[in-house]
Amino acid sequence: MWSIRKFWAIAHFFAICLAQNSSPKPLVIPPSQYWDGNDGPWSTFDLRVGKPEQFMRVAVSTASPHSIVPLSQFACEPQSFPAPPSDCAVSRGNLFDLNESSTWTGVGVYGINNNGVGLGAHLGYEQRAEWGLDELGVGLRGPKLENQSIAGIATPEPFYLGIFGLNNQPVNFSSLGNQSTPAYITTLKDQNKIPSISWSYTAGAKYRLKQVNGQLIFGGYDASRFTENSVSFTMADDVTRDLVVSLQSISYSGSMSATLLSDSIDIYIDSTDPNLWLPSKVVDEFEKAFDLTLDETSGLYLVNETHRNSLINSNAQVSFRLSDVRDGGDTVTIVLPYAAFDLTAKHPLVDNTSHYFPLKRANSLAQYTLGRTFLQEAYLSADYERKVFNVSACKWEQGAEENIITITSKDSPDSQLSPSDPDSGGLSSGAIAGIVIGSIVGAALLAALIAFIVLRKRRKWIGKGFAVAKQTKDPLAEPDESVLKGPVFNSDSFRRASSTAAGSSSAPFSAADISAARTTESGVSSADNSRSASGVSPRTGLAAAAVASQNAGKTAELDGQDTLIKPDTELDGNEIPRPLPVVSENPSGVYELPASPNAIQPGAERNRQGILGHGVQEGEHSPPSPVTSTMESSARGFGRQRQSMANSEMVSPDTPTHRHEDRPF
Ligand SMILES: *[C@@H]1O[C@H](CO)[C@@H](O)[C@H](O)[C@H]1NC(C)=O
Ligand SMILES: *[C@@H]1O[C@H](CO)[C@@H](O)[C@H](O)[C@H]1NC(C)=O
Ligand SMILES: *[C@@H]1O[C@H](CO)[C@@H](O)[C@H](O)[C@H]1NC(C)=O
Ligand SMILES: *[C@@H]1O[C@H](CO)[C@@H](O)[C@H](O)[C@H]1NC(C)=O
Ligand SMILES: *[C@@H]1O[C@H](CO)[C@@H](O)[C@H](O)[C@H]1NC(C)=O
Ligand SMILES: *[C@@H]1O[C@H](CO)[C@@H](O)[C@H](O)[C@H]1NC(C)=O
Ligand SMILES: *[C@@H]1O[C@H](CO)[C@@H](O)[C@H](O)[C@H]1NC(C)=O
């Protein structure tokens, strides 16, 4: 009665069922519920860095493959941040003390971007950072992964808040034996914590309903947050600039109507920067339509109170028509009301807090960018496995119920069995039909056999047993740990965790941690392994880098040639700007962060002025060896900074000293 073939078919059927049941669900990362940033307000997400966990609030970068955190040693010190605000640490989303993390592995000081390669390089960002690998978790509870690449920053520009990176490119550190660190999303997939290498993100909109927070989902999307459309976008080949769409037109309606752009351009969607970077001609049209004037000092389109009120009252809105192709094709239109452009600039972008319009004059094709402002009204889902993405108009519905849809992996049995998937390579449709029919017939026969045997013995048992089996199989009946909702700020455990994280004394390292650190410290002569971060003398090169990074965010002066921004020539008189240290360009566009082999003389004390702050003694700090702990050397190098840190305010994330009225609850 049972042929081998039918048996195989049934086995296959159950294998598929099992695989589906064990395949992970989309991971929804709840927003922090805070609105942060000096160019926002932006809905931020929680980040847990190091061991013990330190809690931060960061913006999301759809372009970055790594995360960035402001360092407590520098980020609110006058040396790197002149005249920091009194709530500096909180306003920067809290600071990370790498000395407090027992799992931090220092990599060294490198540029996040150099030679037009790296995060924000096309927009002229210059930023040096203290790199390391450490444990990283996103959301207050979500998964925590080891050895994630983290860039510690000091200066308040171009990154004021830290960021969490969504891109799937590995970060390569050539100083670590050409070690490649997989991106957060890749590690999540490798550990089978998400169904596919894909994410969805929308920035949230404070001006909508009762303030709508951002949303971040790995491996799925929330169909309740947007209006579906028929456009499918394909990723561009350049991995550092992949989410490119054709912007076919921009039109304005308000006190009058106008077309601001009519010739289609290719433009990059990137949440790293808040602004819309558009061709000069289009910026002129925006200036006319909104009566905007560029403030030369800040490089921003500042909008005064009277003007702002009249713009709000005019009900002006701007429509962006996007497609995957230059002309015709399916299109999706994203409409931004004036409120989406009504952002607030704070120190150090401007001296006095002011409203601004997030618009920048792009200097080259590579600068065309739809920044975070755009993602207030657009819902973006990216699928790196199929190299496609969706852009949809957000839907604003108070109390709409979440409807999370899984984006399956290209290799999952699910997608291979789906005949609608043109990519499924595994089985022919004949084989699929055979399996399906075989499975159905086999399952029916099996069920009949079981029913026959069991019915004869105990009639009642069936109904009961079947009900139980059904209940345990229903995934919705079980608490879904992958979907973590709602703020837990008031829970005791979170309070405790965050007060520890806020960095007082009560964060003991385990004995093992300490002895490990000792061993590496003495076992490896750190002086011998020390390398300067670049071929240029660290003092001049890095000082210049710091000056450049301070200026990069502020200046709008462009060199008229390429994507490079010429730093302001106005300096504080102490430093001589030099060209940035040359870091070998990476042809394939992967972020490579090389170090030069120049060894530091044993015991040589060098001035780190300008790397991450001014006048900090480097000592033997930051040898780029994977086995050397930075804990000891950090303590030596940053001793003086540390003392002043102790006096400065360090507020735990649940007790912000500012903007209580911004809390939605
Ligand atoms: C993280 O890095 C450390 C040191 O390089 C290594 O010992 C450890 O196995 C790594 N952990 C993972 C999960 O890769
Ligand atoms: C890394 O790779 C480059 C070229 O592929 C090579 O020149 C360099 O020596 C390597 N570095 C290490 C530390 O292995
Ligand atoms: C970075 O590392 C990945 C994985 O090891 C490798 O495939 C890629 O070629 C590396 N990129 C560069 C520029 O070395
Ligand atoms: C406000 O801005 C508008 C438009 O730029 C300008 O005409 C007006 O003079 C400004 N008002 C004040 C008080 O600065
Ligand atoms: C900032 O405000 C102060 C006090 O209102 C004023 O004196 C100063 O001129 C303003 N600065 C700028 C750049 O507008
Ligand atoms: C894009 O939308 C289509 C149709 O709604 C859906 O099938 C697909 O999974 C979406 N892809 C991503 C990456 O969101
Ligand atoms: C920094 O690390 C060193 C070595 O682990 C430790 O002795 C010191 O107390 C730390 N400093 C602070 C402020 O925690």
Side-chain angles (χ1 to χ4, degrees), residues 221 228 381-383 388-390 407:
Y221 55 88
E228 277 208 32
S381 313
D383 177 348
V388 295
F389 61 104
N390 290 347
I407 300 174

Side-chain angles (χ1 to χ4, degrees), residues 3 72 82 200 222 250 257 286 304 348 388 411 421 438 491 507 656:
S3 75
S72 64
S200 297
D222 180 354
I250 304 178
S257 292
F286 266 90
N304 64 35
V388 295
D411 323 311
D421 186 350
S491 83

Side-chain angles (χ1 to χ4, degrees), residues 593-605:
L593 307 159
S596 91
N598 301 352
I600 299 178
Q601 291 307 305
E605 287 249 313

Side-chain angles (χ1 to χ4, degrees), residues 46-69:
D46 295 293
L47 211 56
R48 291 136 43 222
V49 192
K51 187 179 181 180
E53 292 179 346
Q54 298 180 39
F55 287 77
M56 341 235 341
R57 294 188 313 280
V58 296
V60 166
S61 167
T62 53
S64 175
H66 53 75
S67 291
I68 298 181
V69 293

Side-chain angles (χ1 to χ4, degrees), residues 170 172 180 586 588 590 592:
N172 292 359
S180 177
N586 170 355
S588 74
V590 182
E592 197 181 2

